Structures are given as structure tokens and as C-alpha cells.
């Protein structure tokens, strides 16, 4: 330690931990060593340190922090924290460097307050919480130090040096000389920073595939034209058990495309991300995901999930890409006006990929722009049921209107099943069987036994 520097810190009302910081001390033990020579603020003056404002004296706020975390009712296994410091701390730092310069002292390395704070505070907090610090934890303790008493000093500084409010203290000081800076603050006051503690969980994202076995459940919650009647939705079915597990305020469903309310989602299901907001409890470990799986699937009859996993924000890109680019496999039950036979089924299966021209369907005209979209039917497989009914399974490009491909929508979709088989067709049931990036990935769904 440089004795001149140490004396300067202590004589200017700084604490012994700040003296170590300005000496570039890297040994954590030295920061933790005996402080009995000093008052409760670790300074000669028995006032809060003029450099760290008492922030490096965690004994004074450890209990408060602990109690605040406990009373916030969060459940957590580990934690990380984030610290913010009041602007005055940066100002005082530069002011002290000015003092050093005028005394002919040149601190070679200075340790940041935030670093020392973490070294000395984290082990103490870990001990009282009986939890481990984990830099990857989803549970975050936000520690904000504020100092309202110092606001006037900061304002005075900003007006004295004619800088803009948004400019950082460090940027401004680059152009200020030491004499002017020190002269500006002849009587440096001792302020005590106040601590504000808030806990939060990072948003939790659970990805998976959902299957929807009902034709009465929409994907997202909706009400009928302002009617108070709100139907159940996939989002509601997934949210109800999840909100309980995570003690969260709610969930938002993000999915790779959507199906109409009367369309079931079968087979492998549709990829989704469930965004769990303001969780108060953690999900960690493989078993917990398995638990979640059975909790959701046993909570309702209509919506089931598979392939659940915890993901990060970057997974949204995957879901978005899938929405645009993935092929879809559908199963339809079709009524034909004219009697049909197995020959018709063989004919449909023998067709090469079809290029469709789809004008915006009449049923969605009110919410979609009017244009002709080029879509593809890559492969079809027909199953004869009786003279007037058959099941058709098909693979289409994303965004193809399947109902219109069947009945032609007054010849707005060309070609159509109506045109191919030469008589009036109607679609009675539509189900989605799966999504995939290429034909090979989904082809088996054309023949697979579903349910
Ligand atoms: Zn200090």
C-alpha cells in the first residue's frame, strides 16, 4: 500500500476500503480484514465515506437486504445480483483523482467500487440467505444505491462545467483540469447512500409442441365481438398450471403459426414458446421439466404438450422462421357431390407437386390484403371412406389456405380438389398433423396412424 495515498484517502474522509481500492489492492482478504480501528463507517471521521458513501460497509445494510429479499416471497435456489451506483460516486472518484494529482500522487491501478462491493458483500449475503451466487442464475437481486442528498452537488457540477445531463461524468472529466475540479468542491460533504433492493426472475421461456384435440378451442384468448363470453384457448390451457408452478402473473403463447378454432392440431403438434412473466419461483433441473410435462397434460383434456424444454430468447427466431418456412401436413375429411372411387384416390396420390394461385379467400378478406399468393401442394394421399366421403392428407407450403384448396372458393384458388376431381367438394373437418422443414421430414405423416 502506498502510505501517502492511504493517508490522503483517510484525510479526505474516505474509508480504509477505498484506500485499498485506490492502492490497487487485489487480495479480497485484505478488504475483509480487521476493521476495529475504524468507526462504523470505516473512516477516521466516523462519517460515511466521502468516496463510496458507505457502500463498502455492508454491515450497515446486510440485514435490511436479507429481510427485503425474504419478505418478497420469491423461491430461489441460487442468485446473482446487479448493482447500480448514484452519479455522485463517479463524481467523487474524479474529484479524488484531482486531489491525487495536486498532491503529486499517481494511483497506478484503481479497483472499482462495484468489484469490491461484490467481493465483500456476496459471501456475506450468500451466508445469510444460505444460497449460492451463480452468475447464470435466473433469479436476480437488484441493488440500487441512491443518494438524494447529493443531487444538488451533482447538479452544481453539471452546470459548473456546462455539460449536458445525459453526458456521463467520466466523459466530462476528460476535458477538466485537476485544479478547477478540486476548486469547484472546496467542502466535500459526507453523504450516506440509501439502498433499494428488488428481486426479479428473468423471463422464463418454455418451448415445446402442443396438440389441440378440440374444435372449440382457439389458439389465443378471444371474445366474440366484444361479447363478454370468453372461450377457452390453448394459451389458457397451458397457462393455468404453469402460473401455479411458477407463481407467475401470467403467460404469453408464441407459436409457429396458428390453426383456425375448428381445426385440430394432431400428430407431432405445433412448436411454441410459452413466455412466463413475473415468475416468483424457479424451474431448474431435468426432472422439473418432466414434472411440468405431466402437470400440463393432466390438467386438461383438450391441449397436450410434448418435447418441453427451457430455452433462451434466441429461440424466438427459430419459431419465427418455422412460421414462414415450414411445410405443413394436413388431414381433411371431404364430401364429394359425385360418387368417387379408389381410382380417384390413386389419381390424387399420383399427381406431381402442384403450384397454386390463391386469391385472398373471401372469408378472410376483411383482415388480409387482396392479392394472389403462389403456394404449393407437394404431395397428397387420399383414403376412400365411401362413395361421397374421403380423407385427404396433404403436404403444403406454409400459409396455404387448405379449405379453399378443397372447394376452390368460387374458383379463386386454382387448381383445387374440386377442379381435379371435377365436381362440387366441401370440407367437413380439417386437422393439422405436423410441421417440418422438408418433405422427407414430414412425409411419413401422410400414411402414419394418427390417434
Ligand atoms: Zn469508501
Amino acid at each position: 500500500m502506498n502510505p501517502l495515498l492511504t493517508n490522503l484517502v483517510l484525510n479526505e474522509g474516505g474509508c480504509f476500503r477505498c484506500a485499498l481500492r485506490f492502492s490497487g489492492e487485489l487480495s479480497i482478504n485484505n478488504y475483509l480484514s480487521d476493521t476495529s480501528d475504524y468507526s462504523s463507517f470505516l473512516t477516521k471521521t466516523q462519517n460515511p465515506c466521502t468516496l463510496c458513501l458507505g457502500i463498502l460497509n455492508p454491515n450497515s445494510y446486510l440485514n435490511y437486504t436479507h429481510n427485503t429479499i425474504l419478505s418478497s416471497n420469491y423461491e430461489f435456489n441460487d442468485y446473482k445480483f446487479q448493482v447500480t451506483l448514484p452519479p455522485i460516486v463517479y463524481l467523487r472518484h474524479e474529484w479524488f483523482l484531482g486531489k491525487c494529482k495536486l498532491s503529486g500522487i499517481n494511483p497506478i491501478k484503481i479497483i472499482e467500487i462495484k468489484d469490491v462491493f461484490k467481493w465483500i458483500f456476496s459471501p456475506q449475503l450468500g451466508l445469510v440467505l444460505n444460497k449460492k451466487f451463480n452468475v447464470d442464475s435466473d433469479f436476480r437481486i437488484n441493488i440500487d444505491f441512491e443518494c438524494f442528498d447529493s443531487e444538488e452537488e451533482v447538479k452544481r457540477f453539471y452546470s459548473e462545467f456546462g455539460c449536458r445531463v445525459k453526458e456521463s461524468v467520466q466523459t466530462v472529466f476528460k476535458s477538466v483540469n485537476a485544479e478547477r475540479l478540486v476548486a469547484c468542491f472546496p467542502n466535500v460533504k459526507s453523504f450516506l447512500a440509501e439502498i433499494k433492493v428488488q428481486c426479479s426472475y428473468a423471463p422464463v421461456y418454455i418451448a415445446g409442441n402442443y396438440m389441440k384435440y378440440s374444435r372449440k378451442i382457439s389458439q389465443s384468448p378471444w371474445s366474440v365481438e366484444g361479447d363478454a363470453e370468453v372461450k377457452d384457448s390453448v394459451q389458457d390451457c397451458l397457462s393455468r398450471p404453469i402460473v401455479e408452478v411458477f407463481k407467475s402473473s401470467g403467460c404469453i403463447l408464441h407459436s409457429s403459426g396458428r390453426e383456425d378454432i375448428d381445426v385440430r392440431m394432431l400428430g407431432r403438434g405445433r412448436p411454441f414458446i410459452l413466455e412466463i412473466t413475473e415468475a416468483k419461483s424457479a424451474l431448474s433441473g431435468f426432472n422439473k421439466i418432466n414434472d411440468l410435462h405431466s402437470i400440463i397434460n393432466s390438467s386438461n383434456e383438450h391441449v397436450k404438450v410434448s418435447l418441453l424444454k427451457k430455452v433462451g430468447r434466441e429461440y424466438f427466431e427459430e419459431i419465427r422462421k418455422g412460421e414462414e418456412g415450414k411445410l405443413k401436413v394436413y388431414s381433411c375429411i371431404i364430401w364429394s357431390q359425385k360418387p368417387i372411387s379408389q381410382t380417384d384416390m390413386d389419381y390424387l396420390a399420383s399427381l406431381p407437386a402442384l403450384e397454386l394461385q390463391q386469391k385472398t379467400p373471401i372469408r378472410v378478406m376483411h383482415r388480409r390484403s387482396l392479392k394472389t399468393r403462389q403456394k404449393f401442394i407437394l404431395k397428397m394421399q387420399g383414403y376412400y371412406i365411401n362413395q361421397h366421403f374421403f380423407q385427404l392428407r396433404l403436404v403444403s407450403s406454409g400459409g396455404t389456405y387448405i379449405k379453399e384448396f378443397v372447394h376452390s372458393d368460387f374458383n379463386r384458388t386454382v387448381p383445387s380438389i374440386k377442379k381435379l376431381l371435377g365436381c362440387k367438394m366441401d370440407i367437413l373437418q380439417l386437422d393439422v398433423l405436423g410441421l417440418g422443414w422438408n418433405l422427407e421430414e414430414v412425409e411419413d405423416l401422410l400414411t402414419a396412424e394418427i390417434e
Side-chain angles (χ1 to χ4, degrees), residues 9 13-19 21 41-43 48-57 113:
V9 171
C15 70
F16 94 96
R17 286 184 176 136
C18 281
R21 281 198 309 118
F41 290 111
L42 315 172
T43 58
C49 170
T50 49
L51 295 171
C52 71
L53 281 61
I55 290 166
L56 294 185
N57 181 25
I113 290 187

Side-chain angles (χ1 to χ4, degrees), residues 78-80 132-140 201-202:
D78 50 20
Y79 69 94
K80 66 179 173 191
K132 280 213 159 55
F133 176 84
N134 171 10
V135 75
D136 294 321
S137 177
D138 285 333
F139 181 65
R140 191 167 75 180
Y201 263 105

Side-chain angles (χ1 to χ4, degrees), residues 23 46 50 57 177 184 208 211 314 325 397:
S23 302
Q46 306 201 7
T50 49
N57 181 25
N177 71 35
C184 183
M211 282 67 73
E314 67 284 355
S397 53

